[in-house]
Amino acid sequence: MAVAFGIDVIIDNFGKSRKTMKKLCRICMLCMVFFQPFFATAQEDTLRFLPHWLPQAQFAGFYMACEKGIYENYDLIVDILKSGPKYPPAEMLASGEAEIISNFLTDGIIAFDEGIPLVCIGQISQRSAIMFISKKERRISHIGDFEGKTIGIWRSGFRELPLALLRQEGIDAKIVPITGTVNLFLMDGVDIMCVMWYNEYHQVLNSGIDAGDLDAFFLADHHLDYPEDGLYCLKEYYDQNPLQCRKFLQASLEGWAYAFDHKDEALEVVIEIMRASNVPANIAHQKWMLDRMEDLFMSDSLESNRGRLKPEDFHNVNALLHESGAIREKVPLEEFYYGPE
Amino acid sequence: MKITEQQEGKTCIIALNGRLDTNTYTALEKKLGEAFENDAVHILLDLSDLMYVSSSGLRVLLMYLKRSMAEERKFILCGLRENIREIFDISGFTSIFEIYSTRGEALKKM
Amino acid sequence: MQPGKKLAFKLVLSVSFVTATIFLVMLAYNYRISRKLLDENIRENVSHITRYAVNRIEGVLISAMTIPENLAVLVGDFNYTEAEIRQFLKKVVQHNDEITGSCLAFEPYAFDPDEKYFAPYYYKAGDSVRYENLGTGEYNYFFWDWYQIPARLNTPVWSEPYFDEGGANVVMTTYSVPFYKDGDLAGIATVDVSLEWLKAYISRIKILETGYAFVISRNGRIISHPADSLIMNESIFSLAEENNDPEIRKAGKAMIRGESDYIPFPSLILDEKAYLYYRPLPATGWSLAVVLSEEALLADLHRLNRDLLIIGIAGIFLLVLSVVVISNRITHPLRKLASATVRIGRGNFDVELPVNRSDDEIGQLNASICRMQQELKTYVENLRTATAAREKIESELKIARDIQQGIIPKIFPPFPDRKDLDVYAVLEPARDVGGDLYDFFFIDDRHLCFAIGDVSGKGIPASLMMAITRTLLRARVTRLERPETIVALMNRELCRDNDKAMFVTMFLGIIDLDSGTISYCNAGHNYPCLVRKGKALEKLDQTHGTPLGSFEKMSYGSGSVRFCAGDLLVLYTDGVTEAMDINDALYGEERLVRFLKSKSFEGPEEVTLSLVEDVREFSGLAEQSDDITILAIQHQ
């Protein structure tokens, strides 16, 4: 049968069958003879993607692109890795445990400065979601009132921008490093809390504090409206697979568009993934997050800006990080950014 | 016709009110019959309120007039209205009955 | 619809309507009161159940709380070596079933001035107790909630429950107690408590068939619930948001404030109306809630109501049935009686009546209709006999009247040969035979005797009296005599054996045609009118004595008047003057006089007939009560 099949194919389409045969042989060799222990991690065509935080609607677009076969449509085999605080994205990228990661623009630039040879291949979020909140009873009605107050800010990551705001406004406040929850704020352990609009802010609301009982200060309202989530890979990977990188960005953007158009379906998928990862999940919170993601991603109405890191945004963030001492040297855009122009 | 009876001493005063005619004379006949059976000796018929008397009525009066004569009792009429008086005059009964103009006058004669 | 059916229908309608109304009112009242009692009962019950549950839960938690509190005191007061602390912690974890791990975490350099981190941690892993040093730069325990919050707040704190790091969906919570050395914060002592027992305990709480309990944390997060999928995932506020129900959020806020209440609440598992009872767990700041489905709550009541309804409907049905039967029992004989009485009414007295010997009203009615039938039968028979008798009498009366009418002259003109005298007379009898009479006859060629009379009373006696009087008159007047002599004679005759005092008024006159005079005697009769030729009117207003038959010893006088050619004498009875109209007004002598004066009359016939006409006109529709008799004589 095999012979007959082979003859038929050779007769019908000589050139194509030769290529198929060659590929088949190579896979067989890989599987059966060499590097058997590396089979799972080093499968040549699989693209491992690591979101930069625990699974949630913040990454709904990637899940949907995977779920709805959008990556496959782009001839990509994508494996979305288990994510969370235990899996620091830049390190995972550097160690070769992931091909592509998502990350904050500030964190990406800092990682680049720290010597990790990564490049940005696309910018998903176009707006800042960072905000300060305080309980109304604390009578903090504008930024000036922050003076002398205790402010909870994340211990690592994302903290550069809120700190930059305090610096910009000349505020001298006591910064309390926070690991991940808003509990200290809820129990009045700090006066002010730095939160993500799409995440912790809603957690506060859903701990029984009404929006009307909170004062909120968006960084975006104080000249610090900078993009956040972007896609990164190692320079080396990009050099070898530029097409893959562009395809991944395109497919992911398509996945996001699908998620925004089919929110109920997307939420179902997100919740399922969260439950599988033992991450507490509820529809209300994920829906809020997905809605805010849409606000953040679609804030730039220009279709051509989708997935693009705008040079002026980059330069501002770059300057800001340099000023704060988070990076030693300003990072050159052309070495850092390989996404759509 | 309304008949009222009243006893004054030995006199039974019977007052007639209305019309004494074919329809009513039997009532008077009965009343007078009773009066004649009783102890009362004399009968005084007060006709002050009698409006009309027919020949049947006159016959009853005449009948008891005759009886009173036979039994030596008095049977007196009083208070005749003008039209009644006229009937009595025409029929000549004025001459056989003892008639007074008022009840008081009649009682004095008892 | 038959009359009987109609009655039954009305009875059924009103009885069922009234009883149904009463029944429904009672049902509603019963429901209201029972519901109120039930509500109070349930509220009390739930209050007891939750108080008990709270005590149970707090008992476990409080016994866990004493461990780090004691640790804090010990570590704060004494200086132990690392080996001592580790041994100490290991024993604590080994010997306390309610905890799964314990840690003593020190402030930077507080345990050892050379070491920034020192946090020995023992935890249960299966049957063994393992050690881990949390004091690594990587973990940096100072900034985790379990350390940071009590340290910053300077107070023991129950952490927000969390999933165990080891996975397997085990919900944990940590109780952290700060400890001090020389007044400064030196570290935090903790115990980890698994909430698996709480989950099991809570899921065992069942109130009625569908009631359940759940526990929320200080932040409103659901930490125990019969539905596993809600635990840790949802908070009462996220459920409020998902169900878009501000009432749930309101309740959640009250719960985390540590209040307790009993309120209507949308069940989060059961898609129906429910009630929520919540009560705080003060040691942790959590809140225990019980959800009761209204349906289960009211199930007994609804069952009771349904049974009552069935009993009520069956009762009303029975009632209606018995009303139908009773009303049929009533109306069936009634219908029979009705059709029988209709036939009796048509004159068929031999109709057989239904036999009903019962002593109720229907029986009585039946009996009285039977009696009525018999009495009617007798009565009608009597009536027939009486009617026959009366018809006989009436026909005899008619004959009597005919005879009476026959004995008075009726042919006019009566003396066609005589040119010097004209006479006309009318006797219009009333319905009953009356006692009027008139007569005229020549005694000899020049003397005419005439008379008009009226017998007192009516009927047969009057007509007999009249006949006697007429006969007496004819018998006595055989030759010319004085009128008073004739009258006196007749009076004597009529007085004889006249117990009833019947009397006859009479005007008797004799006309001497040669001399033109009338001599007359008036025995109590109406005064005749003499119309002179020149229209002057005279009344012969003399009474010469009482009526005939009234007074035996009466002596009569007489009068005389000229009666010339052309003079017209009109005699009448009281049937003319006492004719009444429908208002009981009398015709009267005045009208008579006015009538006679009103015009000149051709002769006796004209005056007689036109006077009768005038009386009739006056009477109108009123019935004639007495004979109308007019006698007119003219000398020519």
Side-chain angles (χ1 to χ4, degrees):
Chain A
M1 267 277 289
V3 175
F5 171 77
I7 292 166
D8 282 352
V9 170
I10 291 163
I11 293 167
D12 282 359
N13 196 335
F14 185 69
K16 196 177 172 186
S17 75
R18 257 182 64 158
K19 199 175 161 189
T20 310
M21 291 290 281
K22 195 174 158 191
K23 193 174 172 184
L24 240 157
C25 286
R26 204 171 63 196
I27 290 169
C28 286
M29 267 162 54
L30 274 169
C31 290
M32 299 194 296
V33 188
F34 304 105
F35 312 122
Q36 201 156 13
F38 298 96
F39 179 69
T41 49
Q43 193 176 351
E44 194 185 331
D45 289 347
T46 303
L47 195 162
R48 288 164 304 169
F49 170 67
L50 177 72
H52 63 285
W53 194 243
L54 288 164
Q56 52 186 352
Q58 189 183 0
F59 311 110
F62 305 111
Y63 300 135
M64 292 320 285
C66 197
E67 181 79 17
K68 303 308 291 185
I70 297 169
Y71 288 130
E72 280 171 37
N73 294 346
Y74 280 83
D75 286 330
L76 297 173
I77 303 165
V78 174
D79 183 11
I80 298 179
L81 300 174
K82 192 174 180 184
S83 58
K86 285 182 185 166
Y87 310 96
E91 281 130 75
M92 296 274 283
L93 193 65
S95 66
E97 286 167 272
E99 274 73 50
I100 296 180
I101 59 161
S102 70
N103 212 351
F104 237 55
L105 178 58
T106 49
D107 289 352
I109 294 173
I110 290 168
F112 188 93
D113 180 65
E114 281 170 354
I116 297 172
L118 52 69
V119 292
C120 176
I121 57 168
Q123 184 63 36
I124 307 283
S125 158
Q126 299 292 342
R127 245 204 82 177
S128 165
I130 297 174
M131 65 195 290
F132 289 103
I133 54 170
S134 74
K135 293 185 185 172
K136 273 260 160 70
E137 68 216 31
R138 300 282 164 137
R139 302 190 172 281
I140 295 168
S141 51
H142 57 90
I143 298 279
D145 294 336
F146 285 19
E147 185 71 29
K149 296 289 191 294
T150 51
I151 306 178
I153 299 182
W154 302 286
R155 184 152 62 89
S156 58
F158 324 146
R159 65 198 310 254
E160 301 308 333
L161 289 169
L163 291 175
L165 174 69
L166 298 181
R167 203 164 50 245
Q168 171 190 304
E169 302 288 327
I171 304 287
D172 184 15
K174 186 175 185 324
I175 307 300
V176 178
I178 301 291
T179 301
T181 73
V182 290
N183 292 332
L184 189 63
F185 173 73
L186 291 173
M187 292 181 74
D188 296 326
V190 288
D191 300 315
I192 300 160
M193 187 80 172
C194 185
V195 295
M196 282 294 183
W197 183 35
Y198 53 77
N199 193 4
E200 290 91 338
Y201 175 68
H202 188 255
Q203 281 173 15
V204 170
L205 298 186
N206 267 359
S207 297
I209 297 176
D210 295 341
D213 293 334
L214 289 171
D215 285 310
F217 310 89
F218 281 94
L219 259 55
D221 296 335
H222 296 85
H223 319 296
L224 290 168
D225 189 8
Y226 298 132
E228 293 175 347
D229 298 359
L231 294 175
Y232 297 86
C233 69
L234 292 178
K235 176 76 169 57
E236 186 193 354
Y237 181 80
Y238 180 80
D239 287 341
Q240 285 166 14
N241 307 287
L243 188 61
Q244 301 276 74
C245 293
R246 278 198 289 279
K247 277 181 178 175
F248 183 79
L249 175 65
Q250 276 313 308
S252 300
L253 287 174
E254 231 173 83
W256 274 111
Y258 185 89
F260 293 144
D261 286 346
H262 305 84
K263 283 185 178 162
D264 288 343
E265 187 186 349
L267 288 174
E268 219 169 277
V269 169
V270 169
I271 297 278
E272 198 179 302
I273 293 168
M274 292 177 78
R275 295 269 158 93
S277 315
N278 269 348
V279 178
N282 66 64
I283 296 270
H285 186 53
Q286 296 308 316
K287 182 173 180 339
W288 167 276
M289 192 180 285
L290 188 58
D291 288 342
R292 300 294 81 77
M293 282 298 145
E294 189 174 18
D295 294 339
L296 297 171
F297 292 6
M298 301 300 180
S299 67
D300 194 327
S301 56
L302 220 56
E303 184 70 34
S304 59
N305 279 343
R306 296 266 184 278
R308 175 169 173 260
L309 175 61
K310 283 170 273 186
E312 64 270 27
D313 282 344
F314 171 79
H315 289 308
N316 282 331
V317 175
N318 201 14
L320 192 142
L321 291 175
H322 185 245
E323 228 168 87
S324 72
I327 54 176
R328 296 158 297 180
E329 296 287 337
K330 279 192 184 175
V331 171
L333 176 63
E334 62 280 7
E335 286 178 31
F336 181 77
Y337 185 63
Y338 287 82
E341 289 303 324
Chain B
M1 186 181 64
K2 215 173 91 189
I3 303 174
T4 47
E5 191 182 352
Q6 188 186 337
Q7 197 75 27
E8 187 129 333
K10 291 195 164 182
T11 308
C12 176
I13 304 170
I14 295 171
L16 304 183
N17 183 331
R19 296 168 57 89
L20 178 58
D21 56 21
T22 356
N23 299 319
T24 57
Y25 74 86
T26 43
L28 180 62
E29 194 170 2
K30 196 172 157 223
K31 175 60 72 184
L32 285 172
E34 284 167 13
F36 270 81
E37 295 305 318
N38 289 344
D39 298 340
V41 181
H42 309 301
I43 307 292
L44 172 59
L45 265 182
D46 187 341
L47 306 181
S48 313
D49 292 318
L50 189 69
M51 301 300 166
Y52 171 79
V53 62
S54 78
S55 56
S56 307
L58 287 176
R59 187 184 63 78
V60 175
L61 297 182
L62 180 63
M63 199 163 79
Y64 282 96
L65 176 66
K66 285 179 174 178
R67 186 168 166 185
S68 67
M69 286 165 142
E71 294 175 8
E72 294 193 344
R73 300 177 177 199
K74 279 186 184 270
F75 187 80
I76 299 177
L77 309 181
C78 72
L80 277 65
R81 287 173 178 245
E82 202 186 334
N83 61 323
I84 307 293
R85 180 88 197 194
E86 217 167 85
I87 290 169
F88 271 71
D89 285 346
I90 290 172
S91 61
F93 280 7
T94 323
S95 61
I96 54 172
F97 280 97
E98 201 175 342
I99 299 174
Y100 297 96
S101 54
T102 63
R103 184 187 288 198
E105 204 180 321
L107 283 173
K108 272 185 222 161
K109 301 292 175 183
M110 285 294 175
Chain C
M1 191 178 280
Q2 292 176 38
K5 298 274 184 212
K6 213 179 215 167
L7 185 65
F9 180 72
K10 277 182 189 166
L11 270 173
V12 167
L13 206 69
S14 55
V15 165
S16 50
F17 176 75
V18 168
T19 45
T21 306
I22 292 170
F23 173 65
L24 285 178
V25 166
M26 280 173 65
L27 204 65
Y29 180 76
N30 175 61
Y31 183 82
R32 247 190 58 168
I33 297 296
S34 314
R35 166 117 203 220
K36 204 176 151 209
L37 288 174
L38 196 72
D39 263 0
E40 281 166 12
N41 203 1
I42 286 285
R43 187 186 285 243
E44 206 168 297
N45 242 323
V46 168
S47 173
H48 283 314
I49 291 170
T50 50
R51 183 178 300 134
Y52 178 76
V54 163
N55 288 341
R56 279 285 308 275
I57 296 166
E58 296 251 294
V60 175
L61 295 175
I62 287 167
S63 90
M65 283 161 83
T66 56
I67 297 164
E69 277 160 8
N70 290 336
L71 279 176
V73 172
L74 285 172
V75 178
D77 288 356
F78 305 102
N79 290 315
Y80 295 101
T81 63
E82 183 180 341
E84 281 168 339
I85 283 178
R86 281 183 60 170
Q87 197 178 8
F88 197 56
L89 272 180
K90 190 175 180 182
K91 283 205 167 139
V92 162
V93 175
Q94 267 171 347
H95 297 298
N96 288 290
D97 290 340
E98 63 268 40
I99 65 168
T100 58
S102 182
C103 175
L104 273 168
F106 284 75
E107 279 283 270
Y109 311 109
F111 182 75
D112 180 347
D114 294 331
E115 281 288 337
K116 184 178 180 186
Y117 307 106
F118 182 62
Y121 175 54
Y122 280 87
Y123 61 98
K124 287 177 181 145
D127 292 335
S128 60
V129 172
R130 291 201 191 145
Y131 167 77
E132 189 177 339
N133 183 14
L134 299 180
T136 62
E138 196 186 338
Y139 182 62
N140 205 353
Y141 58 81
F142 305 121
F143 303 111
W144 290 86
D145 279 357
W146 63 265
Y147 189 97
Q148 190 176 38
I149 293 175
R152 284 202 63 80
L153 299 179
N154 265 320
T155 179
V157 169
W158 277 101
S159 77
E160 265 298 287
Y162 51 90
F163 274 133
D164 181 24
E165 285 290 313
N169 267 345
V170 175
V171 180
M172 307 280 294
T173 181
T174 300
Y175 184 61
S176 310
V177 182
F179 58 86
Y180 305 88
K181 272 191 194 294
D182 310 323
D184 293 328
L185 179 72
I188 302 291
T190 75
V191 289
D192 298 337
V193 178
S194 158
L195 294 182
E196 285 300 288
W197 62 272
L198 181 64
K199 190 169 134 188
Y201 178 68
I202 287 297
S203 62
R204 271 206 310 277
I205 295 181
K206 279 262 188 294
I207 298 164
L208 300 172
E209 276 166 41
T210 51
Y212 64 89
F214 66 92
V215 176
I216 63 169
S217 76
R218 201 174 6 221
N219 290 352
R221 187 178 289 270
I222 290 174
I223 53 181
S224 266
H225 197 284
D228 256 357
S229 64
L230 298 186
I231 295 175
M232 294 304 287
N233 287 323
E234 301 283 357
S235 82
I236 190 139
F237 303 107
S238 70
L239 290 173
E241 194 172 322
E242 281 158 28
N243 291 287
N244 200 13
D245 188 341
E247 286 304 307
I248 303 181
R249 185 174 173 92
K250 215 171 118 191
K253 285 172 77 172
M255 287 167 79
I256 61 174
R257 275 198 303 269
E259 292 171 10
S260 111
D261 201 357
Y262 182 67
I263 53 167
F265 188 72
S267 166
L268 298 176
I269 291 183
L270 316 154
D271 190 18
E272 56 183 304
K273 276 178 83 177
Y275 289 89
L276 177 77
Y277 186 94
Y278 53 87
R279 179 186 279 277
L281 291 152
T284 51
W286 303 342
S287 182
L288 170 71
V290 165
V291 178
L292 299 161
S293 108
E294 187 179 56
E295 197 183 291
L297 204 69
L298 302 179
D300 282 341
L301 187 57
H302 285 155
R303 198 158 35 242
L304 175 73
N305 251 19
R306 195 194 55 209
D307 291 353
L308 279 180
L309 200 66
I310 290 169
I311 292 169
I313 287 169
I316 289 173
F317 179 75
L318 279 177
L319 200 65
V320 166
L321 208 68
S322 64
V323 167
V324 168
V325 168
I326 289 173
S327 64
N328 257 335
R329 199 173 291 164
I330 292 171
T331 54
H332 180 71
L334 274 184
R335 275 203 299 279
K336 278 186 149 182
L337 274 179
S339 73
T341 47
V342 165
R343 273 178 289 161
I344 292 172
R346 287 193 195 118
N348 183 359
F349 297 110
D350 296 325
V351 169
E352 202 167 318
L353 283 170
V355 178
N356 189 332
R357 296 193 201 289
S358 63
D359 61 350
D360 59 12
E361 287 85 345
I362 300 297
Q364 286 169 14
L365 179 65
N366 202 60
S368 52
I369 285 179
C370 273
R371 244 189 338 269
M372 185 192 81
Q373 185 189 24
Q374 289 308 314
E375 279 163 9
L376 267 180
K377 203 171 163 182
T378 324
Y379 173 74
V380 166
E381 268 164 21
N382 288 345
L383 194 64
R384 264 189 211 135
T385 327
T387 307
R390 201 175 63 196
E391 272 166 6
K392 197 171 162 218
I393 289 172
E394 272 180 3
S395 76
E396 282 167 1
L397 271 178
K398 195 167 178 302
I399 295 165
R401 185 149 63 194
D402 289 347
I403 294 168
Q404 182 197 2
Q405 293 286 309
I407 62 175
I408 54 174
K410 271 289 179 56
I411 299 158
F412 298 102
F415 315 114
D417 303 339
R418 299 197 68 116
K419 300 293 172 206
D420 54 351
L421 188 77
D422 192 8
V423 179
Y424 196 84
V426 155
L427 198 160
E428 291 272 331
R431 197 171 55 82
D432 299 328
V433 180
D436 281 12
L437 72 122
Y438 66 82
D439 201 1
F440 48 85
F441 51 87
F442 276 99
I443 305 170
D444 53 38
D445 267 0
R446 55 184 279 206
H447 296 98
L448 178 82
C449 176
F450 65 92
I452 187 163
D454 181 3
V455 180
S456 64
K458 287 193 180 78
I460 302 284
S463 86
L464 282 176
M465 186 79 171
M466 176 262 191
I468 293 166
T469 309
R470 161 68 172 54
T471 314
L472 261 178
L473 178 65
R474 282 286 174 113
R476 287 294 159 205
V477 187
T478 51
R479 55 197 172 89
L480 187 60
E481 271 179 290
R482 290 297 305 161
E484 63 269 30
T485 315
I486 302 167
V487 166
L489 259 166
M490 285 174 73
N491 182 41
R492 260 198 307 279
E493 288 289 335
L494 289 173
C495 278
R496 195 171 298 157
D497 299 325
N498 185 3
D499 293 341
K500 290 291 168 192
M502 300 272 296
F503 58 80
V504 191
T505 66
M506 177 164 282
F507 185 99
L508 186 140
I510 295 171
I511 303 173
D512 184 341
L513 288 166
D514 287 357
S515 63
T517 52
I518 299 174
S519 54
Y520 62 93
C521 175
N522 185 353
H525 194 80
N526 298 65
Y527 303 138
C529 294
L530 181 56
V531 185
R532 293 289 180 195
K533 192 179 178 185
K535 277 199 71 189
L537 191 135
E538 281 173 33
K539 270 202 154 183
L540 305 186
D541 52 351
Q542 288 177 21
T543 300
H544 300 109
T546 56
L548 309 182
S550 62
F551 210 66
E552 197 174 356
K553 291 175 189 134
M554 178 57 66
S555 64
Y556 292 91
S558 70
S560 162
V561 67
R562 284 184 49 76
F563 189 54
C564 304
D567 290 350
L568 179 63
L569 181 66
V570 179
L571 303 108
Y572 57 89
T573 59
D574 57 5
V576 173
T577 49
E578 287 170 16
M580 281 184 288
D581 66 5
I582 47 166
N583 299 319
D584 288 354
L586 298 177
Y587 184 81
E589 272 180 64
E590 276 180 37
R591 180 161 174 156
L592 173 68
V593 169
R594 219 168 37 244
F595 174 77
L596 291 176
K597 278 181 173 173
S598 64
K599 53 181 178 179
S600 51
F601 299 99
E602 286 285 313
E605 183 172 356
E606 197 203 345
V607 76
T608 306
L609 296 179
S610 58
L611 180 54
V612 169
E613 186 64 22
D614 193 49
V615 171
R616 291 229 183 286
E617 199 176 291
F618 172 78
S619 301
L621 293 172
E623 199 193 355
Q624 184 188 336
S625 62
D626 204 354
D627 295 351
I628 295 175
T629 305
I630 302 166
L631 170 63
I633 304 169
Q634 190 172 38
H635 191 192
Q636 288 168 332

